[in-house]
Amino acid sequence: KKLLVKMEPDEDVRAHMRMNIQSLHSFGFILTFVLFAGALVGFAVIGGVVGPNVLVQNFDYDVDLFRDSWSGSVTDLNKLNQQILLLAKIQNKQQGSVGLSGDVTFLLSLELKGDLPESLWIPQEQTDGQVVVARTHTITCDAGEEFCSTVLLSHEPFITQPNYRYNVSLANVNDTTSAFLGNFTFDISYVNDRFTLFEVWCRFGFLLFTAIVLIIFAHKLKGFAWADWTVEQKWTTLLLVGLFAWNNPFFPLGLLINHWIPAFIDALMVVSFLILLLLYWLIMFDGIHRASEERNWFFYFPKILILTVLWGVTIAVFTMMGLRELDDPSSTLDNIPYYFVWKVIMIVLVVIYALYLAYVVCRAFGTMISKRSSPLLGSRVIFFNIFTLVIFLLTLAGFIAGYITPLVKDDSAEFLAFLSLYNLYVFTLAFVYLPNTRVASNALGSLQYDGMIELEDTEAKLTSHISENDDDDDFGINLESDSDSDSL
């Protein structure tokens, strides 16, 4: 005789798919937030105490550029110095007056010299083949400020020679310009080679820890089918893979070759991770309010469309900017073809995303406050809403302060804090969304026992389909789980 058993393995698995977040009490949630904040502050302190200065700066003060041209040089550079910048800070002669601004045209030339004794200074030709280029910058002097706005005259993204020499002069000196512009202070800055080694080891450490966390996360969930994973576990897996892009394993490649490809890969990986993170937030917040609705193309299509276009535009701007700087270090964003159009598109997309995110966040918090989510999902919704909102505000602060930019950071504390921010965020998600060890073990044991039933001369594997009774010799037993399926 056959014993035919009707069972729903998916629901049985979900009954045992109890994550750590569902086992945490109030103290556990508080402790998780405290540990995250403590680790973030700890990395910032380590970067500030142990980390070396990011930039080596060489100043030349009180240069009267209205009377004569200026020349300055740096020597003994190497590839670990990554990049070199030339900045000009101008004194404000009218500090007590109203704010003034005007366009000033600088004539800039750059010469390079090798490390051999017989090497000579060789002028670097720009895109149009000229040795001396003219670049116009708008100088703004605010009332009451000692210095006017700082001007970035040149940004060399790679160190190709050990010696650099700049020559700067003014092209359109007039009475109006000289009336509010005083002496110049020039700053030739390049990345500290000790900071480059510090950055390499930090990235390597986070890459290694990301691999370990991903392996542990996959090992804990290997007994469950992909269809039985919660939406948080699926997204956490994608974010863990995305962390490899954020930590950039190809960073040392840019120190070895002078080519645009490493810079393009760096921009591609960083922007891709940030876009993935923005998509995750949008889908999760919207999914909280629409927990009971079916996921169709209309749910995903507008989100993916907005962020895909934003991803493409951002990559295009960074790539064109990098290519322009390779040919002409004095090039500015305004020299990028159709930069104004790209800028408008980016602003429109960012505003659309911000409004969309604000809308779904308000609806998600409304769902949480009204307690319309099931008790099973309550802790998950509250944790995700609060924790993600904190990360989003920190990210927004980073963009506003200029910490998350393609240029170098101001100090090691800022660098390590924002490098670790998203790593710690995803690591925390991986911890709280792991299946509880005891419950997961019980679930696997249950599947091993119920998944194969042998009754005397019958060997049949348990399936999720119902076998129909052909006659009175066969009968069915319904073993259905009472647990609700994951609705988030």
Side-chain angles (χ1 to χ4, degrees), residues 275-332:
I275 292 296
L276 177 66
L277 192 63
L278 294 177
L279 180 63
Y280 166 66
W281 290 343
L282 202 58
I283 289 178
M284 290 296 292
F285 276 118
D286 199 17
I288 290 173
H289 180 76
R290 301 184 183 184
S292 59
E293 298 180 14
E294 182 182 358
R295 300 292 185 271
N296 51 32
W297 69 271
F298 185 74
F299 177 82
Y300 292 103
F301 179 75
K303 303 175 178 64
I304 295 177
L305 177 63
I306 294 173
L307 290 172
T308 300
V309 177
L310 181 60
W311 174 85
V313 172
T314 307
I315 291 296
V317 171
F318 277 137
T319 302
M320 288 188 292
M321 183 174 66
L323 292 177
R324 292 285 298 183
E325 288 180 341
L326 282 176
D327 295 331
D328 183 1
S330 64
S331 177
T332 62

Side-chain angles (χ1 to χ4, degrees), residues 64 119 133 177 225 240 316 327 330 347 349 354 360 402 409 471 475:
D64 188 357
S119 298
V133 294
T177 303
L240 282 170
D327 295 331
S330 64
I347 292 176
L349 290 173
V360 297
K409 308 298 180 293
D471 48 43
F475 60 93

Side-chain angles (χ1 to χ4, degrees), residues 22-49:
Q22 295 167 309
S23 303
L24 292 175
H25 300 291
S26 299
F27 177 76
F29 282 108
I30 295 175
L31 183 61
T32 301
F33 280 107
V34 170
L35 290 177
F36 169 82
L40 184 61
V41 173
F43 278 116
V45 172
I46 291 174
V49 175

Side-chain angles (χ1 to χ4, degrees), residues 94-369:
Q94 306 290 337
Q95 297 183 32
S97 304
V98 295
L100 299 173
S101 64
D103 293 334
V104 178
T105 300
F106 293 86
L107 299 178
L108 175 68
S109 65
L110 173 61
E111 297 175 311
L112 309 178
K113 188 176 75 169
D115 55 356
L116 298 178
E118 62 273 14
S119 298
L120 302 176
W121 289 104
I122 302 176
Q124 184 185 48
E125 293 186 355
Q126 310 303 326
T127 306
D128 52 6
Q130 296 181 357
V131 175
V132 179
V133 294
R135 291 286 178 259
T136 301
H137 297 270
T138 300
I139 309 299
T140 302
C141 302
D142 296 327
E145 297 293 334
E146 181 181 358
F147 291 96
C148 302
S149 56
T150 301
V151 179
L152 177 62
L153 296 178
S154 175
H155 175 217
E156 189 80 29
F158 305 110
I159 301 297
T160 58
Q161 297 293 336
N163 305 297
Y164 283 75
R165 184 167 67 185
Y166 296 95
N167 294 281
V168 181
S169 60
L170 296 179
N172 60 340
V173 180
N174 52 57
D175 296 337
T176 303
T177 303
S178 59
F180 69 93
L181 297 182
N183 290 340
F184 286 68
T185 297
F186 289 96
D187 174 16
I188 303 178
S189 299
Y190 52 88
V191 179
N192 189 349
D193 53 356
R194 293 175 57 242
F195 172 78
T196 299
L197 296 177
F198 176 77
E199 183 177 0
V200 169
W201 281 110
C202 288
R203 292 184 181 274
F204 174 76
F206 280 116
L207 280 170
L208 180 62
F209 201 75
T210 299
I212 295 174
V213 172
L214 181 59
I215 292 173
I216 294 175
F217 194 78
H219 176 74
K220 291 290 185 179
L221 288 167
K222 69 177 182 180
F224 303 96
W226 173 261
D228 299 317
W229 290 21
T230 65
V231 67
E232 297 100 328
Q233 291 167 336
K234 294 176 181 179
W235 270 104
T236 300
T237 303
L238 293 177
L239 292 177
L240 282 170
V241 175
L243 275 183
F244 287 101
W246 175 250
N247 295 317
N248 192 6
F250 300 103
F251 173 74
L253 184 64
L255 304 177
L256 300 177
I257 59 176
N258 299 321
H259 202 273
W260 63 269
I261 291 181
F264 172 77
I265 293 176
D266 180 63
L268 177 67
M269 300 183 81
V270 171
V271 173
S272 298
F273 172 76
L274 293 177
I275 292 296
L276 177 66
L277 192 63
L278 294 177
L279 180 63
Y280 166 66
W281 290 343
L282 202 58
I283 289 178
M284 290 296 292
F285 276 118
D286 199 17
I288 290 173
H289 180 76
R290 301 184 183 184
S292 59
E293 298 180 14
E294 182 182 358
R295 300 292 185 271
N296 51 32
W297 69 271
F298 185 74
F299 177 82
Y300 292 103
F301 179 75
K303 303 175 178 64
I304 295 177
L305 177 63
I306 294 173
L307 290 172
T308 300
V309 177
L310 181 60
W311 174 85
V313 172
T314 307
I315 291 296
V317 171
F318 277 137
T319 302
M320 288 188 292
M321 183 174 66
L323 292 177
R324 292 285 298 183
E325 288 180 341
L326 282 176
D327 295 331
D328 183 1
S330 64
S331 177
T332 62
L333 291 175
D334 294 331
N335 301 128
I336 297 177
Y338 306 106
Y339 171 71
F340 179 77
V341 177
W342 294 111
K343 183 178 179 180
V344 171
I345 295 175
M346 289 186 65
I347 292 176
V348 171
L349 290 173
V350 170
V351 170
I352 293 175
Y353 176 85
L355 294 175
Y356 196 175
L357 183 64
Y359 171 71
V360 297
V361 167
C362 291
R363 296 182 66 181
F365 273 90
T367 301
M368 181 183 69
I369 295 174

Side-chain angles (χ1 to χ4, degrees), residues 444-463:
L444 293 176
S446 174
L447 288 175
Q448 293 171 359
Y449 177 78
D450 295 332
M452 183 76 73
I453 299 178
E454 299 182 7
L455 297 177
E456 296 183 353
D457 41 1
T458 301
E459 294 183 3
K461 293 184 178 181
L462 184 64
T463 67

